[in-house]
Amino acid sequence: MFAMIGYDCPGSPAPLFHASCKVSVSAEATCSSVRTEMLARVNGQYSKWHDPHNNGTYSVTDSSDAGRLSLQRLTGDKKYTDKINFVFADDADGSCHVQGCSESQVTSFSDYSTNYCNMRMLYCGSANGCHPVLGDVSVSETEVKPSTGAGDDPSACLLVKGGSMRGPKQLEQESDCPVVTTQSDFNLTEFVVGGKWYIHQQMNVLYLPSSNNYCVTASYEFKSAAAVKVHNYANVDKVNGQVEDSDANVGLLGGICGKVVDSADPSKLSVGPCNLPTWLPGARGPYWIVAAGPSPAKYEWALVSGGQPTISTPNGCRTGEGINNSGLWIFTRSQARDEALLSQVRAIAAKMGYDLTVLKDVQQEGCDYTPASARVMLV
């Protein structure tokens, strides 16, 4: 049993809010060995070691206490600096308990898993795809706590080409995955006002874990010709269980909104909290309707992707698992499950190169879709 040592966060001068992440790690080595390996990686830049997450640059800010380590990391594009603190506690069995906290130093919401990767790259072993300098250590993450909007996708930490911080365009350019095209002649009006969408299969991501694969729906309404209000609904753990409602969960930020980025291609939207300025890093993410049918006059099904898939797997390609640049969904207008239709849409996704193993079934049978406020009253 590890001693509870507590997180030691470096703090941030960012006004309003900022992205961050906390991790708790169990390492099968002494804390001295773990800490020494971390320092060896930092001091070995770039002759013996480089940061696999977009070639960032680490520097030590305080190593005077043997039970702590403070660092900062400059992103590969030299634009942003994050601060990181680790604390260490040896256990009686010779293992080490490490707790880390990384915080962005500028106003930010989503971080493409950067704060998580800031820490993971310093303790991960060869089993995690990393390259130790002095010695390999077996580690396991016992807790990962990203801030709202931040990511914790391990695969994002090892994606590096060109050494610049990844935004949606960079992700598309850097990936070895086939470039996905979106639905041609897309009728956004029909997609929005044609009725409620029922999700029958979806990819598990940070804000949609497998426990939320019940009674999932999406509804839209126009706020302007190019702006859409998004309402997402789900139940937790069971049909008609606890309600997850985007209007309630993100209410302080105005709920979720989408905006057409290019009027010539209304199938590509940028989606995020309505009241967050779009210039904030990570405030919006891609939301693409890559296929919809049977015709622009009447959509009965849709295949929706969180942008360009960038992560290669043995079964194809997938998006990330964080807030932005993540997710894959199969929508239909009917609550009733149509296996033939789902097979048809899955075949379209497979032809585009998507890894279909990420798609998990959503249970819709028996759902009453009670609003969050009404559910509270019933309880």
Side-chain angles (χ1 to χ4, degrees):
M1 182 75 178
F2 288 121
M4 294 300 293
I5 51 181
Y7 292 106
D8 177 22
C9 290
S12 172
L16 300 178
F17 44 80
H18 62 279
S20 64
C21 188
K22 299 174 182 177
V23 296
S24 185
V25 179
S26 171
E28 296 181 11
T30 64
C31 287
S32 176
S33 297
V34 175
R35 188 173 180 274
T36 299
E37 172 63 25
M38 288 183 175
L39 288 169
R41 296 184 191 187
V42 175
N43 294 330
Q45 302 169 110
Y46 287 92
S47 58
K48 296 181 180 179
W49 183 83
H50 79 279
D51 175 20
H53 181 59
N54 296 314
N55 286 325
T57 301
Y58 290 88
S59 56
V60 176
T61 57
D62 188 355
S63 61
S64 60
D65 186 334
R68 280 176 158 71
L69 184 61
S70 297
L71 310 102
Q72 61 184 23
R73 177 184 176 274
L74 179 65
T75 55
D77 58 6
K78 313 301 181 187
K79 290 183 177 180
Y80 305 103
T81 298
D82 303 324
K83 292 189 176 181
I84 311 147
N85 282 349
F86 288 104
V87 290
F88 307 85
D90 281 304
D91 195 60
D93 64 1
S95 60
C96 178
H97 185 201
V98 184
Q99 287 188 306
C101 182
S102 174
E103 294 188 274
S104 299
Q105 300 299 294
V106 296
T107 299
S108 52
F109 181 68
S110 178
D111 66 352
Y112 307 104
S113 297
T114 295
N115 280 284
Y116 168 61
C117 296
N118 286 346
M119 299 176 286
R120 181 179 172 87
M121 293 300 89
L122 294 178
Y123 58 70
C124 57
S126 59
N128 312 117
C130 298
H131 300 283
V133 175
L134 298 179
D136 203 3
V137 175
S138 176
V139 299
S140 59
E141 294 171 339
T142 57
E143 183 176 56
V144 179
K145 298 173 63 177
S147 61
T148 300
D152 60 352
D153 182 2
S155 62
C157 304
L158 299 175
L159 291 176
V160 55
K161 291 184 182 180
S164 61
M165 189 175 182
R166 299 179 307 146
K169 285 293 183 183
Q170 287 84 355
L171 282 169
E172 184 174 336
Q173 294 165 357
E174 293 170 3
S175 173
D176 292 327
C177 295
V179 175
V180 168
T181 57
T182 53
Q183 178 62 50
S184 59
D185 299 321
F186 181 65
N187 184 349
L188 181 62
T189 300
E190 161 58 18
F191 183 84
V192 170
V193 305
K196 180 184 290 186
W197 288 105
Y198 298 86
I199 290 76
H200 287 278
Q201 289 192 330
Q202 66 183 16
M203 176 181 172
N204 296 334
V205 295
L206 181 64
Y207 58 92
L208 280 175
S210 58
S211 58
N212 288 21
N213 286 355
Y214 300 89
C215 310
V216 185
T217 65
S219 302
Y220 307 89
E221 62 177 308
F222 280 108
K223 305 301 288 184
S224 70
V228 176
K229 180 69 165 55
V230 182
H231 178 231
N232 295 326
Y233 178 98
N235 289 153
V236 181
D237 290 331
K238 62 180 181 179
V239 168
N240 302 328
Q242 175 187 328
V243 173
E244 286 288 320
D245 185 292
S246 59
D247 284 348
N249 295 346
V250 200
L252 292 177
L253 296 175
I256 303 297
C257 286
K259 185 176 182 180
V260 174
V261 178
D262 180 357
S263 59
D265 188 1
S267 63
K268 290 184 176 181
L269 286 83
S270 176
V271 173
C274 300
N275 294 342
L276 280 185
T278 56
W279 53 263
L280 280 178
R284 298 291 177 100
Y287 187 82
W288 295 358
I289 296 83
V290 296
S295 75
K298 188 171 180 61
Y299 290 135
E300 295 292 343
W301 59 267
L303 177 65
V304 181
S305 178
Q308 167 70 33
T310 60
I311 301 168
S312 296
T313 76
N315 303 299
C317 286
R318 65 172 179 84
T319 62
E321 299 174 335
I323 298 292
N324 294 332
N325 301 291
S326 62
L328 183 66
W329 299 265
I330 296 179
F331 290 12
T332 79
R333 292 288 193 194
S334 173
Q335 179 183 353
R337 188 178 179 89
D338 184 334
E339 292 294 350
L341 179 57
L342 293 181
S343 295
Q344 173 190 336
V345 181
R346 286 173 62 90
I348 293 171
K351 189 174 182 179
M352 290 182 173
Y354 282 96
D355 177 358
L356 300 188
T357 65
V358 304
L359 287 171
K360 308 302 179 185
D361 287 336
V362 175
Q363 188 169 341
Q364 299 285 359
E365 185 177 357
C367 298
D368 61 23
Y369 311 104
T370 303
S373 56
R375 180 74 68 196
V376 171
M377 293 175 65
L378 288 172
V379 174

